[in-house]
Amino acid sequence: QVRLVESGGGLVQAGGSLRLACAASGITFPIYDMAWYRQAPGRQREMVASITVARITNFADFVKGRFFIIRDNVKKTVFLEMNSLQPEDTGVYYCAAHYRNHSDLWGQGTQVTVSS
């Protein structure tokens, strides 16, 4: 069964850190580009960070220098390390897997809440 399962969300104070994980199963993980998106209440889903099969990373301007994305092909897991969190980082964080012209795969999301 193809699954992406996010974990690591929670409540944190402004300035704090969280590490999200997305564990994949049922796919050949190393051939997928991976990405993290987030959706804040009342807003559209937006890309946060991505990492290609060649480990080339890309970050949204609003997280550059604060967030880092790492993939572990042995564990079939992609991580999002989030530092210096701010209330505007609050939202549901989703993991996505992309392979060529196949439909993207999505996880169920994990809630991140940053209190001021």
Side-chain angles (χ1 to χ4, degrees):
Q1 184 179 6
V2 175
R3 293 184 69 190
L4 297 177
V5 179
E6 301 96 336
S7 62
L11 174 64
V12 64
Q13 288 188 332
S17 298
L18 283 175
R19 191 187 201 204
L20 306 183
C22 170
S25 59
I27 63 172
T28 306
F29 183 79
I31 67 174
Y32 280 79
D33 295 329
M34 301 298 297
W36 286 94
Y37 288 75
R38 73 184 186 189
Q39 187 165 18
R43 299 189 64 175
Q44 289 189 331
R45 192 173 298 188
E46 56 188 357
M47 196 278 289
V48 175
S50 64
I51 184 166
T52 69
V53 295
R55 301 182 188 271
I56 297 171
T57 58
N58 185 42
F59 298 91
D61 287 343
F62 51 79
V63 302
K64 282 182 179 177
R66 300 189 298 127
F67 290 14
F68 300 93
I69 187 169
I70 303 163
R71 67 186 298 157
D72 185 329
N73 287 345
V74 174
K75 295 182 178 179
K76 297 185 178 182
T77 301
V78 61
F79 300 94
L80 184 67
E81 296 189 355
M82 307 187 295
N83 303 303
S84 302
L85 284 162
Q86 299 301 317
E88 51 266 35
D89 294 317
T90 294
V92 179
Y93 283 70
Y94 298 90
C95 172
H98 175 76
Y99 176 65
R100 296 186 178 178
N101 61 342
H102 291 213
S103 298
D104 288 348
L105 306 173
W106 292 88
Q108 293 294 100
T110 185
Q111 176 69 46
V112 171
T113 303
V114 184
S115 63
S116 57

